[in-house]
Amino acid sequence: MNGLTQLKCVLVLEDEPLIAMDLQWALEDAGIDAVTARNCPEAMDAIKNKSVDGAILDVNLGKGQTCENAAMELHRLGLPFILNTGDLDRSGELLRRINAPVVAKPTPSELVVERLLAVAAERGANQSRIDI
């Protein structure tokens, strides 16, 4: 099973509307539904109430908010996710705590989606080895 068949609906947590829209379109081009959220409470709601099976998370969401709570919940649920951030210098400690793959901004949305698919495929391969 590859990452494309594993992921049916991906959460995009991004406070910049144009970036969120671009990621949504890239996911849809890959045959994946997208749910967008502009802040962590919206993301937590989507994780709990939507059938998301992966996520692309912006680290710094403005006004002092971060994606940390959403990232920790996704980790707890065993769902694949990546961090997509342009604030690598300011976010160093937070990135170490979250311990997830990072794609630096600006990166074309198609490549961000490809990275998430690779993470999902790797996680699926690891799960298969454990399940055997």
Side-chain angles (χ1 to χ4, degrees):
M1 178 183 287
N2 65 34
L4 185 61
T5 56
Q6 284 182 321
L7 300 179
K8 293 180 177 70
C9 184
V10 168
L11 168 66
V12 175
L13 174 55
E14 172 62 62
D15 63 320
E16 296 290 336
L18 293 177
I19 296 173
M21 184 175 61
D22 198 37
L23 288 167
Q24 180 179 359
W25 288 346
L27 287 161
E28 290 171 356
D29 287 347
I32 302 167
D33 291 333
V35 174
T36 59
R38 292 189 63 164
N39 55 50
C40 207
E42 287 179 13
M44 295 297 286
D45 183 58
I47 293 166
K48 290 182 173 125
N49 298 316
K50 310 281 185 200
S51 295
V52 299
D53 39 28
I56 299 169
L57 307 177
D58 183 11
V59 174
N60 292 306
L61 303 169
K63 298 179 184 173
Q65 290 189 42
T66 71
C67 71
E68 187 171 13
N69 289 341
M72 294 304 166
E73 181 66 7
L74 291 162
H75 179 72
R76 185 185 74 74
L77 295 170
L79 298 175
F81 65 95
I82 60 171
L83 304 175
N84 186 34
T85 185
D87 294 329
L88 294 172
D89 292 333
R90 291 189 316 168
S91 304
E93 183 58 34
L94 177 61
L95 294 176
R96 281 189 288 284
R97 269 198 320 269
I98 294 173
N99 191 27
V102 176
V103 177
K105 289 180 184 175
T107 297
S109 292
E110 297 79 16
L111 296 179
V112 175
V113 170
E114 285 178 18
R115 181 68 175 121
L116 177 61
L117 293 174
V119 168
E122 182 178 302
R123 182 175 299 259
N126 289 338
Q127 290 282 334
S128 294
R129 283 192 286 265
I130 293 169
D131 292 341
I132 294 177

